Amino acid sequence: MNFKGQHILSTAQFDKEGLLEVFEEAKKMEKVLQDGGSNLLSGKILATLFFEPSTRTRFSFESAMNRLGGRVLSNADMAATSSLKKNESLEDTVKTVSQMADVIAIRHPESHSVEKTSKVSNVPVINAGDGSNQHPTQALLDVYTIWKEKGSIDGLTVGMIGDLKYGRVPHSQCDLLKHFDVKFVFVAPDALKMPNEIVEELRSAGKEVVEGENLSELIEEMDVIGMTRVQKERFESEEESLKYEGIYLLDAKIMDGAKKDAIIVHPLPRVDEISVELDSDPRAKYFDQVGNGVVVRMALLKKVLGY
Ligand code: NCD
């Protein structure tokens, strides 16, 4: 896959070869980190424009750029503090920043907004989450975690549990996992099911997809237990979102029914989906994922900037 100068907007852009290329590069980045980082991207600037809250994603992009010797222009609250307050358009904002940076990571609450801005940017734009649509770098690090932990992705049964309707992370994960021989098990209440077009796309790619609501029953066959948070900010009203509060809680009792070598992943933040008692379970990989996010973003920044 050609990465140089490309926008990274959706996981649909990745073929299997491109995905494995990023993973191999990320593995090399683990070594770069052990050796204290590098100066490969010295002189390059990453701008992070975030219009939605973030802890991991923004810091992870910035850590990745810093670890490779680059520099960062950062605004964690663009909505409140940029000229958008004076009614400047998002496109003009990005056009402006693209004159000052070599690559831009954007998070925005509206689906497809990042793609729109990429059309006016002189430099690569990386989608750091656009509404309920996509979160490609998170899915890359999730699948990297699976690849690293399980040795291979073929033959696995991957569970996705929680808000599969509004969750951009499970949407992006499906695009990547469909390149492998994977069985999907989706666990969600009826109103928060995985969008039909995604399920149909997986089935037409020959994948087996099981859908249900009962986590305790369906967990038995999962090799990967992918938990997600109810995306309360994307519901029509808070009252509506409260109906699903605490809908799935993964705890030690439920994990008794899971495979001994299963892994638990979660993009975080965790709210009430995973009991803290599981943090010391060797199957819990959700904090390891954070470290994997840094090396995956190092790999991607390197490739997009053409090194
Ligand atoms: C995810 C996101 O923002 O979509 N978080 C993240 O980037 N690590 C998941 C979430 O907020 O639930």
Side-chain angles (χ1 to χ4, degrees), residues 4 40 57 61 71 102 110-111 117 121 135 145 148 160 166 182 211 217 234 250-251 271 299:
K4 185 178 176 184
L40 184 77
T57 305
F61 268 110
R71 289 172 184 257
D102 301 289
E110 207 181 293
S111 290
T117 66
S121 172
H135 191 348
T145 302
K148 198 171 128 181
M160 297 184 195
Y166 295 112
V182 160
E211 292 183 278
E217 273 172 23
R234 313 226 184 274
L250 189 67
D251 59 12
V271 186

Side-chain angles (χ1 to χ4, degrees), residues 195-206:
N196 236 340
E197 57 276 18
I198 297 182
V199 175
E200 285 316 313
E201 204 188 317
L202 293 175
R203 290 203 169 122
S204 40

Side-chain angles (χ1 to χ4, degrees), residues 259-280:
K259 290 187 178 177
K260 296 288 164 266
D261 63 348
I263 59 168
I264 309 168
V265 295
H266 191 310
L268 304 177
R270 152 177 65 186
V271 186
D272 50 13
E273 314 79 44
I274 301 181
S275 167
V276 174
E277 69 188 355
L278 287 179
D279 293 2
S280 54

